[in-house]
Amino acid sequence: MGMAIIQARTWVVFLLLALLSPSWPVAEASHHVSPDLQSLDAGLAADALRTGYHFQPPMHWINDPNGVMYYKGVYHLFYQYNPKAAVWGNIVWAHAVSTDLVNWVMLEPAIYPTAPFDVNGCWSGSATVLPDGRPAIMYTGIDGDGRQVQNVAYPKDLSDPYLREWVKPDYNPVIPPGSGVNATAFRDPTTAWLGPDGLWRLVVGTKDNHRGLAVLYRSRDFQSWAPAEGGPLHHGDTGMWECPDFYPVGDGAQTKHVLKVSLDLTRFEYYTFGSYDHANDTYVPDAALADGERGLRYDYGNFYASKTFLDTANKPRRVLWGWANESDSTADDVRKGWAGVQAIPRKLWLAPDGKQLMQWPVAEVESLRGNHVNITDRLVEAGSYFEVQGLMIPAQADVEVSFAVVGGLDKAEPFDPAWRGADAQTVCAARGADAEGGVGPFGLWVLASDQLKERTAVFFRVFNDDGKHVVLMCNDPSRSSYADHLYKPTFAGFIDVDLAKTGGKIPLRTLIDHSMVESFGGHGKMSILSRVYPTQAVGDKARLYVFNNGETDVKVTHLNAYDMRSAKISTEIDR
Ligand code: DQQ
């Protein structure tokens, strides 16, 4: 009886705490542990909003992808995971393996607190395959004093194809925060690379007051590391740099090095690329590229703490993983029993014009395509829409569509000078999918209910800025759900497409997966990921439409929509 009362009280406290703390901006950002939230069983994972072909463990909280790699025929995805609840905390490295980046076997966590150098948590990091063929993981441990230190771990048994068990040498930590380093903001080591002098290098993210830094360390043996005398690889006046990533793209003389950082202050990711001098360890971004909020982004939506790896099995290609946080409340997450999804792995490359990076879902995802619907040359008159019929479950689909503006660009709305210097998200918030325009908005309504009361718009809109056409690509989830307590931000970017040169054509691909809407515009020039939580447009009740809220006719030159089979997720985890 007494026990029942205590439990009831705990629940009341817990519910109050949960209801008062929405999951955005993420609780995880400040890395607070909420003991009341940790101790409870989060409940069942079954939910109509769980994804079918995006990566999710059976239940609980996940965040950053970690240590992604391809090793001897197996892809490894480690990720930040709370084994006890659907909120951030108790962080370990969960582990899943795959031979195709689509279907996964969930394993027991690979790295978890065991030693003084990680007793308070095993935070993000990266994998490096050493010349002797052994993979090494570098990760951030939170030590007994709450300091962030960098540790190394090696597989226990190289003959285990899944590399299930990892050993942490006693000589850890291998990179403690040195004097003058902020020990509470010193984390997320990159994959290491070998310089021409035979020394290993890696970068750790940190901050110095408001300055974010990518600090370079060097080592001869992967055990003793020292900061490079020349100072940080790069820095910016942007607050803490989390999850840096540094890697080459392009070929031969065209090779550039990309530096990506995750800005803790904005919870978005930005990148520059430029030249890296291996001998002097200097990185100089190309002149046209800005650091921080004025810079380029991998994704203009809900995509964070990403990490790339070189997939030597395929050509080779560089593959990008990123985390999509929830946009519901913490109380919703606890009720659902899960929180966090990994975005579809994306192939990443330098655009042929050298102006930006391009991304496209890895081709393996197409193996899940089933029932196919095709539409060609269908006019979408100004102010009209039509339903794409024939999908069995439009809530789990892959849609490729190519639009052509057939009525000319003359009616493009003037670009408001007040928007100059503003980001695309601000423009899209001002001119969303329902604000009629001159050329556009046109695009898809996905996860729509039959009366269109619920719908998420993915669309383009063309502005005329002093004779130059500016193309906005936007995800507008403002009508995505009847639930009104949700975070429903419009996410947008200006996409580098010259419609005069493409004959008014612009392609769009959208991966729809119950609560994920992951879109790629202009053949991979722009990607925008949104999380949405329809209440009616779920499963086979969801619908898909093409709309045109502009004054100018557009044509769907091609539309190929596919039902997507669910990925196979088997598990070795004993929950
Ligand atoms: N998440 C990890 C940190 C990292 C942050 C902790 C980014 O290592 O900086 O779960 O989301």
Side-chain angles (χ1 to χ4, degrees):
M1 180 67 171
M3 191 63 149
I5 289 170
I6 290 167
Q7 277 176 354
R9 275 206 203 116
T10 311
W11 263 105
V12 171
V13 172
F14 160 70
L15 280 174
L16 278 173
L17 274 170
L19 291 167
L20 289 172
S21 56
S23 67
W24 72 92
V26 279
E28 188 273 330
S30 51
H31 299 116
H32 286 311
V33 175
S34 315
D36 287 316
L37 295 176
Q38 307 299 316
S39 53
L40 292 155
D41 186 348
L44 290 178
D47 193 306
L49 298 167
R50 279 183 65 79
T51 57
Y53 61 98
H54 283 78
F55 180 89
Q56 279 192 278
M59 60 193 301
H60 299 320
W61 166 275
I62 72 169
N63 56 293
D64 321 354
N66 291 153
V68 292
M69 67 170 163
Y70 177 76
Y71 182 71
K72 293 195 175 160
V74 178
Y75 294 101
H76 293 257
L77 170 63
F78 304 88
Y79 51 97
Q80 297 278 281
Y81 179 61
N82 181 349
K84 296 190 180 160
V87 295
W88 185 88
N90 309 310
I91 290 296
V92 303
W93 278 44
H95 188 190
V97 289
S98 169
T99 52
D100 59 8
L101 290 170
V102 171
N103 302 295
W104 294 90
V105 180
M106 309 287 200
L107 307 174
E108 291 289 347
I111 298 182
Y112 43 88
T114 55
F117 49 78
D118 66 8
V119 67
N120 285 313
C122 297
W123 290 12
S124 289
S126 306
T128 305
V129 180
L130 304 175
D132 66 5
R134 267 189 318 163
I137 279 174
M138 292 284 291
Y139 70 99
T140 299
I142 312 301
D143 75 7
D145 298 326
R147 296 182 321 154
Q148 299 179 8
V149 302
Q150 317 315 318
N151 302 319
V152 69
Y154 294 101
K156 184 173 181 187
D157 175 8
L158 281 174
S159 69
D160 170 12
Y162 286 177
L163 304 176
R164 287 175 180 82
E165 290 183 78
W166 291 73
V167 176
K168 306 164 191 169
D170 289 340
Y171 54 70
N172 277 307
V174 289
I175 312 181
S179 72
V181 172
N182 182 338
T184 58
F186 180 59
R187 55 184 183 264
D188 310 336
T190 61
T191 294
W193 67 96
L194 260 181
D197 52 7
L199 297 182
W200 286 100
R201 276 106 169 126
L202 59 72
V203 161
V204 180
T206 184
K207 72 171 175 180
D208 172 8
N209 293 315
H210 193 70
R211 204 162 63 126
L213 302 119
V215 185
L216 189 73
Y217 286 81
R218 287 194 284 228
S219 170
R220 188 159 298 285
D221 55 7
F222 230 83
Q223 179 175 337
S224 305
W225 293 84
E229 304 82 48
L233 185 71
H234 200 51
H235 57 83
D237 191 22
T238 53
M240 174 68 190
W241 282 9
E242 296 188 314
C243 302
D245 201 4
F246 188 62
Y247 54 89
V249 288
D251 296 314
Q254 296 295 342
T255 302
K256 301 270 182 191
H257 269 76
V258 176
L259 177 63
K260 181 277 301 184
V261 296
S262 309
L263 292 196
D264 196 22
L265 287 181
T266 65
R267 307 304 284 174
F268 292 127
E269 302 197 299
Y270 302 87
Y271 69 86
T272 54
F273 50 80
S275 49
Y276 167 59
D277 178 340
H278 289 261
N280 299 313
D281 279 327
T282 48
Y283 168 67
V284 181
D286 283 1
L289 302 176
D291 280 311
E293 289 181 56
R294 296 271 158 235
L296 293 166
R297 283 165 56 176
Y298 280 163
D299 189 292
Y300 288 74
N302 181 342
F303 185 93
Y304 195 68
S306 70
K307 189 159 295 293
T308 64
F309 72 101
L310 191 65
D311 179 4
T312 46
N314 288 279
K315 287 188 192 154
R317 63 182 170 177
R318 186 155 287 272
V319 175
L320 169 69
W321 280 100
W323 161 53
N325 194 7
E326 301 299 312
S327 298
D328 57 3
S329 67
T330 302
D332 291 328
D333 294 345
V334 172
R335 210 175 302 116
K336 297 192 327 249
W338 54 270
V341 180
Q342 300 297 343
I344 280 293
R346 305 167 178 186
K347 181 180 160 181
L348 178 148
W349 70 101
L350 184 64
D353 65 9
K355 289 205 279 192
Q356 63 165 101
L357 296 175
M358 309 279 288
Q359 293 166 57
W360 200 247
V362 294
E364 289 89 329
V365 172
E366 293 164 31
S367 67
L368 295 174
R369 286 175 170 178
N371 169 47
H372 174 209
V373 172
N374 170 259
I375 295 170
T376 27
D377 288 338
R378 173 146 181 185
L379 193 67
V380 201
E381 288 176 0
S384 74
Y385 63 88
F386 70 87
E387 184 179 357
V388 177
Q389 286 175 323
L391 291 179
M392 320 276 263
I393 305 190
Q396 191 172 312
D398 180 356
V399 185
E400 289 199 75
V401 53
S402 194
F403 293 100
V405 180
V406 290
L409 299 175
D410 300 348
K411 290 188 182 149
E413 296 160 78
F415 192 77
D416 188 335
W419 293 333
R420 294 233 167 84
D423 60 9
Q425 197 168 330
T426 308
V427 178
C428 191
R431 305 292 287 154
D434 297 325
E436 289 171 19
V439 180
F442 59 82
L444 301 175
W445 281 324
V446 305
L447 295 170
S449 58
D450 55 354
Q451 301 294 317
L452 280 167
K453 290 264 168 49
E454 287 186 331
R455 57 182 199 256
T456 296
V458 184
F459 66 93
F460 301 106
R461 183 169 205 126
V462 184
F463 296 96
N464 185 336
D465 188 4
D466 273 347
K468 189 172 171 284
H469 290 111
V470 175
V471 182
L472 182 76
M473 177 173 154
C474 187
N475 275 18
D476 180 356
S478 53
R479 291 171 183 266
S480 57
S481 175
Y482 271 111
D484 52 15
H485 69 285
L486 302 165
Y487 179 47
K488 297 173 185 165
T490 45
F491 286 131
F494 294 116
I495 178 165
D496 185 21
V497 180
D498 184 344
L499 287 181
K501 281 198 186 135
T502 65
K505 285 200 186 134
I506 185 155
L508 172 68
R509 178 170 180 194
T510 297
L511 303 176
I512 305 159
D513 201 359
H514 303 274
S515 58
M516 293 279 273
V517 179
E518 190 172 0
S519 301
F520 299 84
H523 299 293
K525 281 192 166 167
M526 167 78 46
S527 50
I528 306 180
L529 194 157
S530 294
R531 301 299 313 281
V532 294
Y533 307 89
T535 60
Q536 298 191 350
V538 292
D540 58 2
K541 290 201 221 68
R543 291 166 183 244
L544 172 68
Y545 293 83
V546 173
F547 77 96
N548 178 9
N549 272 340
E551 284 178 59
T552 306
D553 291 350
V554 299
K555 191 196 266 182
V556 168
T557 55
H558 301 281
L559 183 145
N560 291 296
Y562 304 85
D563 280 302
M564 291 292 275
R565 285 182 285 271
S566 294
K568 289 192 195 73
I569 311 280
S570 54
T571 181
E572 288 190 355
I573 299 175
D574 179 14
R575 301 209 321 258

